[in-house]
mmCIF file of all heavy atoms in Angstrom:
data_model
loop_
_atom_site.group_PDB
_atom_site.id
_atom_site.type_symbol
_atom_site.label_atom_id
_atom_site.label_comp_id
_atom_site.label_asym_id
_atom_site.label_seq_id
_atom_site.Cartn_x
_atom_site.Cartn_y
_atom_site.Cartn_z
ATOM 1 N N VAL A 1234 52.137 75.289 51.517
ATOM 2 C CA VAL A 1234 53.581 75.055 51.550
ATOM 3 C C VAL A 1234 53.885 73.566 51.343
ATOM 4 O O VAL A 1234 54.794 73.196 50.577
ATOM 5 C CB VAL A 1234 54.181 75.543 52.881
ATOM 6 C CG1 VAL A 1234 55.646 75.117 53.009
ATOM 7 C CG2 VAL A 1234 54.069 77.063 52.982
ATOM 8 N N LEU A 1235 53.111 72.709 52.008
ATOM 9 C CA LEU A 1235 53.327 71.266 51.881
ATOM 10 C C LEU A 1235 53.068 70.799 50.456
ATOM 11 O O LEU A 1235 53.854 70.016 49.891
ATOM 12 C CB LEU A 1235 52.409 70.530 52.860
ATOM 13 C CG LEU A 1235 52.449 68.992 52.788
ATOM 14 C CD1 LEU A 1235 53.848 68.479 53.094
ATOM 15 C CD2 LEU A 1235 51.426 68.392 53.741
ATOM 16 N N THR A 1236 51.962 71.256 49.869
ATOM 17 C CA THR A 1236 51.634 70.847 48.500
ATOM 18 C C THR A 1236 52.709 71.303 47.522
ATOM 19 O O THR A 1236 53.121 70.546 46.624
ATOM 20 C CB THR A 1236 50.272 71.426 48.083
ATOM 21 O OG1 THR A 1236 49.273 71.010 49.019
ATOM 22 C CG2 THR A 1236 49.882 70.950 46.695
ATOM 23 N N THR A 1237 53.186 72.531 47.682
ATOM 24 C CA THR A 1237 54.252 73.038 46.814
ATOM 25 C C THR A 1237 55.525 72.228 46.992
ATOM 26 O O THR A 1237 56.203 71.884 46.013
ATOM 27 C CB THR A 1237 54.531 74.519 47.119
ATOM 28 O OG1 THR A 1237 53.329 75.281 46.951
ATOM 29 C CG2 THR A 1237 55.609 75.065 46.197
ATOM 30 N N SER A 1238 55.844 71.905 48.226
ATOM 31 C CA SER A 1238 57.044 71.114 48.501
ATOM 32 C C SER A 1238 56.956 69.733 47.866
ATOM 33 O O SER A 1238 57.933 69.232 47.294
ATOM 34 C CB SER A 1238 57.262 70.981 50.008
ATOM 35 O OG SER A 1238 57.420 72.259 50.608
ATOM 36 N N LEU A 1239 55.783 69.115 47.947
ATOM 37 C CA LEU A 1239 55.597 67.802 47.333
ATOM 38 C C LEU A 1239 55.724 67.880 45.817
ATOM 39 O O LEU A 1239 56.302 66.988 45.179
ATOM 40 C CB LEU A 1239 54.236 67.231 47.718
ATOM 41 C CG LEU A 1239 54.039 66.872 49.198
ATOM 42 C CD1 LEU A 1239 52.609 66.414 49.451
ATOM 43 C CD2 LEU A 1239 55.018 65.790 49.628
ATOM 44 N N ALA A 1240 55.182 68.960 45.229
ATOM 45 C CA ALA A 1240 55.296 69.130 43.775
ATOM 46 C C ALA A 1240 56.750 69.297 43.364
ATOM 47 O O ALA A 1240 57.210 68.719 42.372
ATOM 48 C CB ALA A 1240 54.470 70.340 43.324
ATOM 49 N N ILE A 1241 57.496 70.102 44.132
ATOM 50 C CA ILE A 1241 58.919 70.300 43.826
ATOM 51 C C ILE A 1241 59.678 68.989 43.978
ATOM 52 O O ILE A 1241 60.532 68.640 43.153
ATOM 53 C CB ILE A 1241 59.508 71.384 44.745
ATOM 54 C CG1 ILE A 1241 58.887 72.745 44.415
ATOM 55 C CG2 ILE A 1241 61.031 71.444 44.608
ATOM 56 C CD1 ILE A 1241 59.296 73.849 45.368
ATOM 57 N N THR A 1242 59.367 68.257 45.045
ATOM 58 C CA THR A 1242 60.033 66.968 45.259
ATOM 59 C C THR A 1242 59.754 66.001 44.117
ATOM 60 O O THR A 1242 60.657 65.296 43.647
ATOM 61 C CB THR A 1242 59.555 66.353 46.587
ATOM 62 O OG1 THR A 1242 59.846 67.249 47.665
ATOM 63 C CG2 THR A 1242 60.258 65.025 46.842
ATOM 64 N N THR A 1243 58.492 65.978 43.655
ATOM 65 C CA THR A 1243 58.141 65.110 42.531
ATOM 66 C C THR A 1243 58.922 65.484 41.280
ATOM 67 O O THR A 1243 59.449 64.628 40.562
ATOM 68 C CB THR A 1243 56.633 65.196 42.246
ATOM 69 O OG1 THR A 1243 55.905 64.836 43.424
ATOM 70 C CG2 THR A 1243 56.242 64.273 41.101
ATOM 71 N N HIS A 1244 59.015 66.795 41.027
ATOM 72 C CA HIS A 1244 59.757 67.263 39.845
ATOM 73 C C HIS A 1244 61.240 66.911 39.945
ATOM 74 O O HIS A 1244 61.835 66.409 38.981
ATOM 75 C CB HIS A 1244 59.592 68.774 39.704
ATOM 76 C CG HIS A 1244 60.443 69.366 38.620
ATOM 77 N ND1 HIS A 1244 60.147 69.231 37.281
ATOM 78 C CD2 HIS A 1244 61.601 70.075 38.683
ATOM 79 C CE1 HIS A 1244 61.082 69.832 36.560
ATOM 80 N NE2 HIS A 1244 61.970 70.362 37.387
ATOM 81 N N VAL A 1245 61.822 67.161 41.111
ATOM 82 C CA VAL A 1245 63.247 66.870 41.293
ATOM 83 C C VAL A 1245 63.522 65.383 41.156
ATOM 84 O O VAL A 1245 64.492 64.966 40.508
ATOM 85 C CB VAL A 1245 63.716 67.392 42.675
ATOM 86 C CG1 VAL A 1245 65.119 66.897 42.980
ATOM 87 C CG2 VAL A 1245 63.681 68.921 42.697
ATOM 88 N N ARG A 1246 62.655 64.571 41.751
ATOM 89 C CA ARG A 1246 62.873 63.127 41.681
ATOM 90 C C ARG A 1246 62.738 62.632 40.240
ATOM 91 O O ARG A 1246 63.497 61.772 39.792
ATOM 92 C CB ARG A 1246 61.888 62.393 42.580
ATOM 93 C CG ARG A 1246 62.177 60.902 42.666
ATOM 94 C CD ARG A 1246 61.143 60.181 43.485
ATOM 95 N NE ARG A 1246 61.119 60.638 44.857
ATOM 96 C CZ ARG A 1246 60.226 60.229 45.752
ATOM 97 N NH1 ARG A 1246 59.289 59.377 45.399
ATOM 98 N NH2 ARG A 1246 60.253 60.687 46.982
ATOM 99 N N ALA A 1247 61.757 63.178 39.508
ATOM 100 C CA ALA A 1247 61.603 62.778 38.105
ATOM 101 C C ALA A 1247 62.829 63.176 37.292
ATOM 102 O O ALA A 1247 63.314 62.407 36.456
ATOM 103 C CB ALA A 1247 60.345 63.411 37.514
#
Side-chain angles (χ1 to χ4, degrees):
V1234 172
L1235 176 61
T1236 303
T1237 302
S1238 300
L1239 293 176
I1241 293 174
T1242 301
T1243 302
H1244 173 75
V1245 170
R1246 187 184 298 175

